[in-house]
Amino acid sequence: MRKVDELKHVSMEVRKKLLVMIAQAKAAHIGSSLSAIEIFVACMETLQDSDSLIVSKGHAAAGYYATLVEFGILSEQDLKTYGTNGSRLFGHVTRDVSLGIPFSTGSLGHGLPYGVGLALGLKRKNRAGKIFVIASDGEMNEGTTWESALLANHNGLDNLVLIVDRNGIQSIGDTEATLRLEPLDLKWRSFGWHVEEVDGHDLSSLLFALRKSVSGKPIVLIAKTIKGKGVSFMEGDNLWHYKSPNQEELKSALDEVSRNK
Amino acid sequence: MRNSFANVVLEEADKKNLLLVTGDLGFGVFEELQSRYPDNFLNAGITEQSLTSLAAGLADTGWVPIIYSIANFPTLRNLEQIRNDIAYPNRHVVVCAVGAGLSYSSLGYSHFALEDLAVMRSMPNFRILSPSDPHRAALATRSAITENRPTYLRLGKNGEKDFGSLAQAEHFSIREISSGRDEVAVASTGSIGSIVVEAIATLNRPIAHYSIEEVWPLRHEILDALSTFKSVLVVEEHGPVGGLFGALAEAFQRKKIKVNLHSIHADVTKLNLSGDHTYMRDQAGLSPQKLAEAITLIM
């Protein structure tokens, strides 16, 4: 297990790679990736061979791919292909078993029920392994999220951990203005899950919470994050759900990310 | 057909790592499976969408999941889950619907499966089995759990009788129920085949009748058998779009094979009054009399 300082550095490198990728590809969803960087890094650091990670917020693919480079699963060369013809990297997370990506997402609300299936499948075979699912808070709108909440609780899936990237903003606007989620912790608790609220940019809290297990109960970590985290002019601004930075913006973003070690 | 399916699942559950996932349907059907092999059964509640993605997860942990529900529930309600989580990634999941076509007659169009063939034919990698009687339903179930690819198993209801010869045909995909002397044949799929048998019996002349047990993808033996006729009347308990008629028309056109295809399907605009299965088939234009008239017309 690496030291938190080292992982902070990894997170910074991921952000830099992400910014360059998105700018080069003129792609969208940079804010959704930036809010989830520490979650990606902490999950990858926690993951054991028998575990699986499912990125249900498939639109944060770029941030996930950049993380995979820092963990030696993708190459820098692979990353350069992002957004070009012939790339194996799609704009939403796409199944590639050789990269340890078991499941395609992009349509919201698919990752958690799939994770429930993995967790149940392992349990019924008495096999070890933990299933981590990273979901957006927008996905809390989906009916399948709450169907899965029932299924995981009813089947006692204590090998399942859901991490909600609670950045508070979905496609068009604030989550609370769009379709109110709060009190989100109480909702999960009433569905029988063990709930932890963590600072989603604090690596030590995330690493600690990800290692928890509660007998008979699935766990949800509500990770409070900031959309666009790390680049002040992107933070909390939903424009960056869609826009990609121009050269000037990219330079200023990279400068800021590099300064905040 | 339902009991043939359930018996095969019970027999193979333990040996083949089956996990039957029901969307809270099948009262009185799976009790023995549940009590003898509790790990091979899951009632996931009424969660058609989630249980489909869940089945994908089960497939990735070494199970052969069978999603079970009735009529259109396991195909239309959860279509995107089927597409993204089963079809494109080519996972071995069996989707089983009991209640093909108008089987659930008096329950209304919420329970009619008249678009499922069209929709499921368009799913990448999927195979569609549509057996004609309980004997064939058992064979189809075995095939679905053995062949390592996504399969849609379209079953009738319960209580159908076996018809035609029980002898194993050369191919599972097509069975010859009767032969004729004319250049005309009838091709049916599913349990409506027994109505075709009734219709032919009223005509006092032998007429070739084939049942297509594997509707998609169409195997060459099906095209080979049917292309020896000048005209083929396709009979299906399905809507007008995208079923067996559509599949054959596309295949013959692509291969530039000249066969005059005629279609008898459920007329979905005529299902305004409630009744039993026979009544609903009559309303939809699928009575033995209507079929006999259609066959005579083509001759």
Side-chain angles (χ1 to χ4, degrees):
Chain A
M1 176 65 68
R2 284 183 277 188
K3 291 207 175 76
V4 169
D5 278 349
E6 205 180 323
L7 292 174
K8 273 188 187 161
H9 181 79
V10 167
S11 304
M12 181 189 78
E13 289 300 323
V14 172
R15 279 203 168 79
K16 282 158 64 178
K17 286 189 169 66
L18 164 74
L19 287 163
V20 173
M21 274 170 87
I22 296 268
Q24 275 176 357
K26 298 194 172 21
H29 301 130
I30 194 167
S32 316
S33 273
L34 284 169
S35 71
I37 299 301
E38 282 78 14
I39 296 173
F40 287 140
V41 169
C43 283
M44 287 304 296
E45 184 66 16
T46 306
L47 216 60
Q48 305 289 310
D49 282 346
S50 54
D51 299 344
S52 296
L53 173 64
I54 296 119
V55 179
S56 192
K57 49 176 293 185
H59 52 293
Y64 178 45
Y65 296 148
T67 310
L68 292 180
V69 172
E70 287 299 316
F71 282 81
I73 292 164
L74 272 178
S75 70
E76 300 246 10
Q77 204 52 43
D78 288 327
L79 220 52
K80 286 207 179 91
T81 68
Y82 184 71
T84 69
N85 291 336
S87 175
R88 70 200 289 200
L89 306 177
F90 283 88
H92 285 90
V93 172
T94 302
R95 172 177 156 89
D96 188 332
V97 177
S98 69
L99 300 178
I101 304 176
F103 191 68
S104 299
T105 52
S107 176
L108 300 176
H110 283 243
L112 183 58
Y114 170 73
V116 167
L118 288 180
L120 185 79
L122 290 179
K123 241 184 199 303
R124 292 246 175 138
K125 285 188 180 288
N126 291 315
R127 274 165 57 187
K130 245 175 153 175
I131 310 302
F132 298 94
V133 178
I134 301 172
S136 67
D137 48 7
E139 289 189 88
M140 305 297 104
N141 295 176
E142 292 279 7
T144 52
T145 297
W146 302 104
E147 290 177 2
S148 300
L150 293 170
L151 282 161
N153 167 57
H154 183 83
N155 290 284
L157 301 181
D158 50 14
N159 52 350
L160 177 68
V161 180
L162 169 68
I163 305 101
V164 180
D165 181 358
R166 184 75 175 108
N167 63 33
I169 303 177
Q170 56 192 90
S171 176
I172 288 182
D174 289 356
T175 60
E176 300 316 282
T178 306
L179 190 58
R180 194 179 305 118
L181 296 176
E182 294 298 337
L184 188 58
D185 57 331
L186 292 186
K187 288 188 173 67
W188 283 101
R189 210 161 276 140
S190 71
F191 275 75
W193 287 51
H194 177 80
V195 183
E196 299 256 336
E197 293 191 85
V198 290
D199 176 345
H201 297 301
D202 182 58
L203 282 159
S204 47
S205 310
L206 281 169
L207 289 165
F208 182 73
L210 285 170
R211 252 173 256 127
K212 280 223 162 147
S213 87
V214 179
S215 179
K217 279 191 172 195
I219 294 178
V220 55
L221 307 183
I222 299 175
K224 295 274 169 67
T225 58
I226 295 164
K227 194 151 179 166
K229 171 71 179 178
V231 181
S232 48
F233 64 87
M234 293 183 184
E235 286 186 2
D237 183 351
N238 208 28
L239 182 64
W240 296 96
H241 193 80
Y242 305 98
K243 193 172 155 26
S244 73
N246 60 31
Q247 283 308 306
E248 204 177 312
E249 288 161 337
L250 174 64
K251 188 178 175 305
S252 133
L254 285 172
D255 284 349
E256 187 181 345
V257 167
S258 305
R259 274 199 312 274
N260 293 337
K261 289 186 182 173
Chain B
M1 285 197 217
R2 190 190 63 194
N3 288 354
S4 311
F5 162 78
N7 290 340
V8 173
V9 172
L10 179 65
E11 201 177 303
E12 301 290 343
D14 194 37
K15 288 175 263 180
K16 295 265 170 64
N17 270 316
L18 307 182
L19 211 161
L20 187 121
V21 182
T22 172
D24 200 28
L25 285 164
F27 183 74
V29 184
F30 301 117
E31 275 73 4
E32 195 178 349
L33 175 70
Q34 189 175 9
S35 63
R36 275 173 63 187
Y37 305 110
D39 280 345
N40 302 73
F41 175 86
L42 175 74
N43 185 349
I46 310 154
T47 63
E48 293 84 2
Q49 298 169 69
S50 291
L51 70 81
T52 304
S53 307
L54 182 154
L58 294 174
D60 284 1
T61 47
W63 294 94
V64 176
I66 304 171
I67 302 173
Y68 177 89
S69 189
I70 64 168
N72 48 305
F73 302 152
T75 51
L76 300 191
R77 177 62 175 265
N78 53 345
L79 184 60
E80 193 195 63
Q81 282 77 14
I82 287 180
R83 174 185 180 272
N84 292 12
D85 306 341
I86 298 174
Y88 270 96
N90 199 13
R91 290 189 167 98
H92 186 193
V93 174
V94 180
V95 176
C96 177
V98 162
L102 297 163
S103 300
Y104 282 104
S105 57
S106 62
L107 300 190
Y109 66 75
S110 66
H111 285 59
F112 296 162
L114 295 173
E115 304 81 12
D116 54 327
L117 289 179
V119 160
M120 294 305 287
R121 268 183 59 217
S122 69
M123 292 293 110
N125 298 311
F126 254 89
R127 190 174 167 229
I128 302 176
L129 306 181
S130 167
S132 47
D133 64 15
H135 175 67
R136 298 282 154 167
L139 294 180
T141 306
R142 286 186 195 284
S143 172
I145 61 188
T146 308
E147 200 163 314
N148 184 16
R149 64 184 284 188
T151 303
Y152 174 44
L153 190 53
R154 186 189 206 240
L155 301 180
K157 45 184 181 182
N158 209 33
E160 296 100 333
K161 299 272 184 294
D162 285 331
F163 63 94
S165 164
L166 292 186
Q168 184 84 42
E170 188 188 351
H171 300 285
F172 166 77
S173 60
I174 178 168
R175 67 187 280 226
E176 185 184 40
I177 292 167
S178 57
S179 57
R181 293 189 299 266
D182 304 287
E183 290 180 305
V184 172
V186 179
S188 63
T189 189
S191 68
I192 195 77
S194 66
I195 305 295
V196 175
V197 171
E198 274 184 54
I200 290 174
T202 65
L203 294 175
N204 294 320
R205 70 189 288 170
I207 303 228
H209 173 203
Y210 293 90
S211 173
I212 310 304
E213 309 280 317
E214 185 166 357
V215 174
W216 190 256
L218 281 174
R219 291 179 181 267
H220 69 85
E221 60 264 22
I222 296 172
L223 301 178
D224 289 350
L226 297 182
S227 61
T228 60
F229 295 92
K230 203 170 152 197
S231 297
V232 174
L233 174 68
V234 180
V235 179
E236 55 193 324
E237 199 169 344
H238 186 269
V241 179
L244 178 59
F245 173 76
L248 287 169
E250 288 166 17
F252 284 141
Q253 185 63 31
R254 285 207 172 103
K255 291 184 185 293
K256 306 287 175 220
I257 297 171
K258 274 217 174 340
V259 175
N260 294 321
L261 283 179
H262 303 266
S263 168
I264 295 278
H265 55 78
D267 184 343
V268 295
T269 64
K270 301 250 168 67
L271 300 170
N272 302 318
L273 300 173
S274 178
D276 63 17
H277 197 184
T278 305
Y279 180 83
M280 296 309 284
R281 278 174 166 173
D282 288 355
Q283 269 198 108
L286 292 167
S287 62
Q289 296 78 4
K290 286 265 171 56
L291 297 187
E293 282 165 27
I295 296 167
T296 311
L297 211 61
I298 293 164
M299 314 278 290

PDB file of all heavy atoms in Angstrom, chain A residues 13-38:
ATOM      1  N   GLU A  13      -1.062  13.725 -11.216  1.00  0.00           N
ATOM      2  CA  GLU A  13      -0.647  13.273 -12.555  1.00  0.00           C
ATOM      3  C   GLU A  13      -1.857  12.835 -13.388  1.00  0.00           C
ATOM      4  O   GLU A  13      -1.913  13.089 -14.591  1.00  0.00           O
ATOM      5  CB  GLU A  13       0.348  12.102 -12.439  1.00  0.00           C
ATOM      6  CG  GLU A  13       1.729  12.497 -11.906  1.00  0.00           C
ATOM      7  CD  GLU A  13       2.426  13.527 -12.799  1.00  0.00           C
ATOM      8  OE1 GLU A  13       2.273  13.434 -14.036  1.00  0.00           O
ATOM      9  OE2 GLU A  13       3.096  14.421 -12.244  1.00  0.00           O
ATOM     10  N   VAL A  14      -2.807  12.183 -12.730  1.00  0.00           N
ATOM     11  CA  VAL A  14      -4.025  11.766 -13.438  1.00  0.00           C
ATOM     12  C   VAL A  14      -4.767  12.992 -13.963  1.00  0.00           C
ATOM     13  O   VAL A  14      -5.188  13.047 -15.123  1.00  0.00           O
ATOM     14  CB  VAL A  14      -4.954  10.927 -12.525  1.00  0.00           C
ATOM     15  CG1 VAL A  14      -6.304  10.670 -13.205  1.00  0.00           C
ATOM     16  CG2 VAL A  14      -4.302   9.603 -12.150  1.00  0.00           C
ATOM     17  N   ARG A  15      -4.893  14.007 -13.110  1.00  0.00           N
ATOM     18  CA  ARG A  15      -5.607  15.231 -13.535  1.00  0.00           C
ATOM     19  C   ARG A  15      -4.926  15.861 -14.747  1.00  0.00           C
ATOM     20  O   ARG A  15      -5.593  16.286 -15.689  1.00  0.00           O
ATOM     21  CB  ARG A  15      -5.656  16.245 -12.388  1.00  0.00           C
ATOM     22  CG  ARG A  15      -6.731  15.971 -11.388  1.00  0.00           C
ATOM     23  CD  ARG A  15      -7.172  17.190 -10.583  1.00  0.00           C
ATOM     24  NE  ARG A  15      -8.396  16.845  -9.878  1.00  0.00           N
ATOM     25  CZ  ARG A  15      -8.441  16.128  -8.753  1.00  0.00           C
ATOM     26  NH1 ARG A  15      -7.313  15.701  -8.190  1.00  0.00           N
ATOM     27  NH2 ARG A  15      -9.593  15.836  -8.185  1.00  0.00           N
ATOM     28  N   LYS A  16      -3.611  15.895 -14.713  1.00  0.00           N
ATOM     29  CA  LYS A  16      -2.882  16.520 -15.827  1.00  0.00           C
ATOM     30  C   LYS A  16      -3.126  15.736 -17.124  1.00  0.00           C
ATOM     31  O   LYS A  16      -3.427  16.308 -18.172  1.00  0.00           O
ATOM     32  CB  LYS A  16      -1.379  16.597 -15.503  1.00  0.00           C
ATOM     33  CG  LYS A  16      -1.062  17.754 -14.540  1.00  0.00           C
ATOM     34  CD  LYS A  16       0.227  17.580 -13.778  1.00  0.00           C
ATOM     35  CE  LYS A  16       1.466  17.558 -14.643  1.00  0.00           C
ATOM     36  NZ  LYS A  16       2.682  17.440 -13.788  1.00  0.00           N
ATOM     37  N   LYS A  17      -3.013  14.434 -17.012  1.00  0.00           N
ATOM     38  CA  LYS A  17      -3.234  13.592 -18.203  1.00  0.00           C
ATOM     39  C   LYS A  17      -4.652  13.778 -18.749  1.00  0.00           C
ATOM     40  O   LYS A  17      -4.869  13.881 -19.955  1.00  0.00           O
ATOM     41  CB  LYS A  17      -3.021  12.113 -17.859  1.00  0.00           C
ATOM     42  CG  LYS A  17      -1.560  11.741 -17.679  1.00  0.00           C
ATOM     43  CD  LYS A  17      -1.409  10.231 -17.561  1.00  0.00           C
ATOM     44  CE  LYS A  17       0.053   9.825 -17.641  1.00  0.00           C
ATOM     45  NZ  LYS A  17       0.864  10.307 -16.499  1.00  0.00           N
ATOM     46  N   LEU A  18      -5.602  13.805 -17.813  1.00  0.00           N
ATOM     47  CA  LEU A  18      -7.006  13.963 -18.183  1.00  0.00           C
ATOM     48  C   LEU A  18      -7.232  15.269 -18.945  1.00  0.00           C
ATOM     49  O   LEU A  18      -7.901  15.299 -19.981  1.00  0.00           O
ATOM     50  CB  LEU A  18      -7.858  13.919 -16.911  1.00  0.00           C
ATOM     51  CG  LEU A  18      -9.286  14.428 -17.043  1.00  0.00           C
ATOM     52  CD1 LEU A  18     -10.126  13.405 -17.807  1.00  0.00           C
ATOM     53  CD2 LEU A  18      -9.904  14.686 -15.683  1.00  0.00           C
ATOM     54  N   LEU A  19      -6.668  16.353 -18.392  1.00  0.00           N
ATOM     55  CA  LEU A  19      -6.862  17.663 -19.023  1.00  0.00           C
ATOM     56  C   LEU A  19      -6.334  17.662 -20.455  1.00  0.00           C
ATOM     57  O   LEU A  19      -6.998  18.136 -21.383  1.00  0.00           O
ATOM     58  CB  LEU A  19      -6.141  18.748 -18.193  1.00  0.00           C
ATOM     59  CG  LEU A  19      -6.810  19.112 -16.865  1.00  0.00           C
ATOM     60  CD1 LEU A  19      -5.840  19.856 -15.946  1.00  0.00           C
ATOM     61  CD2 LEU A  19      -8.060  19.957 -17.117  1.00  0.00           C
ATOM     62  N   VAL A  20      -5.167  17.080 -20.634  1.00  0.00           N
ATOM     63  CA  VAL A  20      -4.558  17.031 -21.967  1.00  0.00           C
ATOM     64  C   VAL A  20      -5.410  16.172 -22.909  1.00  0.00           C
ATOM     65  O   VAL A  20      -5.705  16.568 -24.043  1.00  0.00           O
ATOM     66  CB  VAL A  20      -3.107  16.486 -21.879  1.00  0.00           C
ATOM     67  CG1 VAL A  20      -2.526  16.263 -23.272  1.00  0.00           C
ATOM     68  CG2 VAL A  20      -2.232  17.446 -21.073  1.00  0.00           C
ATOM     69  N   MET A  21      -5.828  15.005 -22.397  1.00  0.00           N
ATOM     70  CA  MET A  21      -6.666  14.105 -23.207  1.00  0.00           C
ATOM     71  C   MET A  21      -7.927  14.774 -23.712  1.00  0.00           C
ATOM     72  O   MET A  21      -8.277  14.705 -24.881  1.00  0.00           O
ATOM     73  CB  MET A  21      -7.171  12.932 -22.335  1.00  0.00           C
ATOM     74  CG  MET A  21      -6.279  11.767 -22.219  1.00  0.00           C
ATOM     75  SD  MET A  21      -6.985  10.700 -20.915  1.00  0.00           S
ATOM     76  CE  MET A  21      -8.121   9.707 -21.867  1.00  0.00           C
ATOM     77  N   ILE A  22      -8.628  15.413 -22.776  1.00  0.00           N
ATOM     78  CA  ILE A  22      -9.921  16.004 -23.120  1.00  0.00           C
ATOM     79  C   ILE A  22      -9.721  17.168 -24.086  1.00  0.00           C
ATOM     80  O   ILE A  22     -10.482  17.348 -25.045  1.00  0.00           O
ATOM     81  CB  ILE A  22     -10.649  16.491 -21.836  1.00  0.00           C
ATOM     82  CG1 ILE A  22     -10.966  15.299 -20.941  1.00  0.00           C
ATOM     83  CG2 ILE A  22     -11.873  17.314 -22.187  1.00  0.00           C
ATOM     84  CD1 ILE A  22     -12.311  14.662 -21.143  1.00  0.00           C
ATOM     85  N   ALA A  23      -8.656  17.957 -23.843  1.00  0.00           N
ATOM     86  CA  ALA A  23      -8.395  19.108 -24.727  1.00  0.00           C
ATOM     87  C   ALA A  23      -8.055  18.612 -26.127  1.00  0.00           C
ATOM     88  O   ALA A  23      -8.586  19.118 -27.117  1.00  0.00           O
ATOM     89  CB  ALA A  23      -7.260  19.960 -24.157  1.00  0.00           C
ATOM     90  N   GLN A  24      -7.194  17.598 -26.210  1.00  0.00           N
ATOM     91  CA  GLN A  24      -6.795  17.077 -27.527  1.00  0.00           C
ATOM     92  C   GLN A  24      -7.978  16.470 -28.271  1.00  0.00           C
ATOM     93  O   GLN A  24      -8.133  16.662 -29.460  1.00  0.00           O
ATOM     94  CB  GLN A  24      -5.710  16.015 -27.365  1.00  0.00           C
ATOM     95  CG  GLN A  24      -4.328  16.624 -27.286  1.00  0.00           C
ATOM     96  CD  GLN A  24      -3.250  15.580 -27.035  1.00  0.00           C
ATOM     97  OE1 GLN A  24      -3.536  14.396 -26.863  1.00  0.00           O
ATOM     98  NE2 GLN A  24      -2.001  16.029 -27.004  1.00  0.00           N
ATOM     99  N   ALA A  25      -8.789  15.720 -27.534  1.00  0.00           N
ATOM    100  CA  ALA A  25      -9.916  15.032 -28.180  1.00  0.00           C
ATOM    101  C   ALA A  25     -11.114  15.954 -28.357  1.00  0.00           C
ATOM    102  O   ALA A  25     -12.091  15.582 -28.998  1.00  0.00           O
ATOM    103  CB  ALA A  25     -10.306  13.814 -27.355  1.00  0.00           C
ATOM    104  N   LYS A  26     -11.035  17.149 -27.785  1.00  0.00           N
ATOM    105  CA  LYS A  26     -12.188  18.080 -27.767  1.00  0.00           C
ATOM    106  C   LYS A  26     -13.431  17.347 -27.264  1.00  0.00           C
ATOM    107  O   LYS A  26     -14.521  17.417 -27.849  1.00  0.00           O
ATOM    108  CB  LYS A  26     -12.424  18.668 -29.158  1.00  0.00           C
ATOM    109  CG  LYS A  26     -11.233  19.502 -29.659  1.00  0.00           C
ATOM    110  CD  LYS A  26     -11.633  20.343 -30.860  1.00  0.00           C
ATOM    111  CE  LYS A  26     -10.574  21.344 -31.298  1.00  0.00           C
ATOM    112  NZ  LYS A  26      -9.192  21.110 -30.886  1.00  0.00           N
ATOM    113  N   ALA A  27     -13.233  16.630 -26.179  1.00  0.00           N
ATOM    114  CA  ALA A  27     -14.303  15.780 -25.638  1.00  0.00           C
ATOM    115  C   ALA A  27     -15.052  16.494 -24.511  1.00  0.00           C
ATOM    116  O   ALA A  27     -14.666  17.586 -24.071  1.00  0.00           O
ATOM    117  CB  ALA A  27     -13.705  14.468 -25.142  1.00  0.00           C
ATOM    118  N   ALA A  28     -16.099  15.857 -24.036  1.00  0.00           N
ATOM    119  CA  ALA A  28     -16.932  16.417 -22.969  1.00  0.00           C
ATOM    120  C   ALA A  28     -16.653  15.724 -21.635  1.00  0.00           C
ATOM    121  O   ALA A  28     -15.744  14.907 -21.536  1.00  0.00           O
ATOM    122  CB  ALA A  28     -18.402  16.257 -23.342  1.00  0.00           C
ATOM    123  N   HIS A  29     -17.436  16.112 -20.607  1.00  0.00           N
ATOM    124  CA  HIS A  29     -17.453  15.438 -19.303  1.00  0.00           C
ATOM    125  C   HIS A  29     -16.173  15.593 -18.500  1.00  0.00           C
ATOM    126  O   HIS A  29     -15.844  14.743 -17.682  1.00  0.00           O
ATOM    127  CB  HIS A  29     -17.765  13.928 -19.472  1.00  0.00           C
ATOM    128  CG  HIS A  29     -19.086  13.668 -20.127  1.00  0.00           C
ATOM    129  ND1 HIS A  29     -19.236  12.818 -21.188  1.00  0.00           N
ATOM    130  CD2 HIS A  29     -20.321  14.162 -19.865  1.00  0.00           C
ATOM    131  CE1 HIS A  29     -20.505  12.789 -21.571  1.00  0.00           C
ATOM    132  NE2 HIS A  29     -21.178  13.599 -20.779  1.00  0.00           N
ATOM    133  N   ILE A  30     -15.463  16.701 -18.685  1.00  0.00           N
ATOM    134  CA  ILE A  30     -14.230  16.879 -17.922  1.00  0.00           C
ATOM    135  C   ILE A  30     -14.533  17.078 -16.434  1.00  0.00           C
ATOM    136  O   ILE A  30     -13.836  16.540 -15.570  1.00  0.00           O
ATOM    137  CB  ILE A  30     -13.380  18.042 -18.502  1.00  0.00           C
ATOM    138  CG1 ILE A  30     -11.958  17.981 -17.933  1.00  0.00           C
ATOM    139  CG2 ILE A  30     -14.019  19.412 -18.258  1.00  0.00           C
ATOM    140  CD1 ILE A  30     -10.984  18.870 -18.663  1.00  0.00           C
ATOM    141  N   GLY A  31     -15.623  17.815 -16.160  1.00  0.00           N
ATOM    142  CA  GLY A  31     -15.983  18.065 -14.760  1.00  0.00           C
ATOM    143  C   GLY A  31     -16.325  16.781 -14.019  1.00  0.00           C
ATOM    144  O   GLY A  31     -15.950  16.588 -12.860  1.00  0.00           O
ATOM    145  N   SER A  32     -17.008  15.875 -14.720  1.00  0.00           N
ATOM    146  CA  SER A  32     -17.420  14.597 -14.114  1.00  0.00           C
ATOM    147  C   SER A  32     -16.222  13.713 -13.824  1.00  0.00           C
ATOM    148  O   SER A  32     -16.234  12.913 -12.890  1.00  0.00           O
ATOM    149  CB  SER A  32     -18.358  13.841 -15.049  1.00  0.00           C
ATOM    150  OG  SER A  32     -19.305  14.701 -15.603  1.00  0.00           O
ATOM    151  N   SER A  33     -15.184  13.835 -14.627  1.00  0.00           N
ATOM    152  CA  SER A  33     -13.959  13.085 -14.371  1.00  0.00           C
ATOM    153  C   SER A  33     -13.184  13.703 -13.214  1.00  0.00           C
ATOM    154  O   SER A  33     -12.703  12.993 -12.331  1.00  0.00           O
ATOM    155  CB  SER A  33     -13.060  13.072 -15.615  1.00  0.00           C
ATOM    156  OG  SER A  33     -13.395  12.003 -16.468  1.00  0.00           O
ATOM    157  N   LEU A  34     -13.082  15.041 -13.229  1.00  0.00           N
ATOM    158  CA  LEU A  34     -12.278  15.708 -12.185  1.00  0.00           C
ATOM    159  C   LEU A  34     -12.831  15.453 -10.782  1.00  0.00           C
ATOM    160  O   LEU A  34     -12.064  15.333  -9.826  1.00  0.00           O
ATOM    161  CB  LEU A  34     -12.215  17.214 -12.467  1.00  0.00           C
ATOM    162  CG  LEU A  34     -11.262  17.621 -13.600  1.00  0.00           C
ATOM    163  CD1 LEU A  34     -11.479  19.090 -13.988  1.00  0.00           C
ATOM    164  CD2 LEU A  34      -9.797  17.382 -13.223  1.00  0.00           C
ATOM    165  N   SER A  35     -14.135  15.343 -10.648  1.00  0.00           N
ATOM    166  CA  SER A  35     -14.701  15.104  -9.307  1.00  0.00           C
ATOM    167  C   SER A  35     -14.369  13.697  -8.806  1.00  0.00           C
ATOM    168  O   SER A  35     -14.384  13.441  -7.610  1.00  0.00           O
ATOM    169  CB  SER A  35     -16.216  15.333  -9.306  1.00  0.00           C
ATOM    170  OG  SER A  35     -16.892  14.320 -10.019  1.00  0.00           O
ATOM    171  N   ALA A  36     -14.074  12.787  -9.731  1.00  0.00           N
ATOM    172  CA  ALA A  36     -13.939  11.374  -9.347  1.00  0.00           C
ATOM    173  C   ALA A  36     -12.494  10.889  -9.271  1.00  0.00           C
ATOM    174  O   ALA A  36     -12.262   9.712  -9.004  1.00  0.00           O
ATOM    175  CB  ALA A  36     -14.716  10.505 -10.344  1.00  0.00           C
ATOM    176  N   ILE A  37     -11.518  11.772  -9.460  1.00  0.00           N
ATOM    177  CA  ILE A  37     -10.130  11.303  -9.564  1.00  0.00           C
ATOM    178  C   ILE A  37      -9.660  10.579  -8.301  1.00  0.00           C
ATOM    179  O   ILE A  37      -9.105   9.477  -8.365  1.00  0.00           O
ATOM    180  CB  ILE A  37      -9.163  12.473  -9.888  1.00  0.00           C
ATOM    181  CG1 ILE A  37      -9.535  13.109 -11.223  1.00  0.00           C
ATOM    182  CG2 ILE A  37      -7.710  12.001  -9.880  1.00  0.00           C
ATOM    183  CD1 ILE A  37      -9.518  12.191 -12.423  1.00  0.00           C
ATOM    184  N   GLU A  38      -9.888  11.195  -7.134  1.00  0.00           N
ATOM    185  CA  GLU A  38      -9.432  10.544  -5.910  1.00  0.00           C
ATOM    186  C   GLU A  38     -10.183   9.226  -5.678  1.00  0.00           C
ATOM    187  O   GLU A  38      -9.626   8.281  -5.122  1.00  0.00           O
ATOM    188  CB  GLU A  38      -9.578  11.471  -4.697  1.00  0.00           C
ATOM    189  CG  GLU A  38      -8.483  12.533  -4.587  1.00  0.00           C
ATOM    190  CD  GLU A  38      -8.669  13.716  -5.526  1.00  0.00           C
ATOM    191  OE1 GLU A  38      -9.788  13.864  -6.085  1.00  0.00           O
ATOM    192  OE2 GLU A  38      -7.706  14.484  -5.716  1.00  0.00           O
TER     193      GLU A  38
END
